[in-house]
Amino acid sequence: MVNSVTPESSTALHNPVLNGTKNTLMVLAGVALITASAKITVPFWPVPMTLQTMAIMAIAVATGPRMALTTLLAYLAAGAAGLPVFAGTPERGIGIAYMMGPTGGYLAGYLVAAGLVGALARGRSAAGQFAVMMVGMVPVYLLGLAGLSAFVPSEKVVALGFTPFILGDILKIALVAVGFAAIRHLKSPNKAA
């Protein structure tokens, strides 16, 4: 049975209050997801990892650049306001002080990556999405390492801020790409009858 679009249902689809409410709830859900992912620590080698990269990339691929940027801005605003949304908060500080610390550059990089990945990943194959997400990690690491360089000697920046994390980030990005490919496969009509 095919549902036809009636004038009443068409109006509901374009209702700014409903759309605004839906978008607000999506942003809040995204902030909650990123916060939870920043707090979860998974044993990994050579260092334990959080799932923050995975959550941010998944949000960017699923929602596109506008919603991904809005979600990341809301997340950063919540952290700047002093809410303990970041990894290691409140133990390692909160608010602007935390954001100006050793991991502040990575947070800024996540914002850039969310917009970049959101704009480029949709509609691509799993391999294409994986490649776009890896490109999205470039600003995360560039800004992250630049920020970290204010706190550690320059000869140790890559060893402390890149090397221990890249393998985990590759794995998390691969899981996001495979996850979206599985969702696409499940949503596609079964061609074999």
Side-chain angles (χ1 to χ4, degrees), residues 44 46 134 137 141 161-172:
F44 196 69
M134 288 305 297
M137 289 305 296
Y141 279 114
F162 175 79
T163 307
F165 304 105
I166 188 62
L167 182 60
D169 284 338
I170 291 169
L171 176 63
K172 290 179 275 188

Side-chain angles (χ1 to χ4, degrees), residues 112-141:
V112 175
L116 181 67
V117 172
L120 299 177
R122 292 187 91 179
R124 293 185 183 266
S125 67
Q129 287 179 338
F130 176 82
V132 167
M133 288 185 277
M134 288 305 297
V135 169
M137 289 305 296
V138 171
V140 173
Y141 279 114

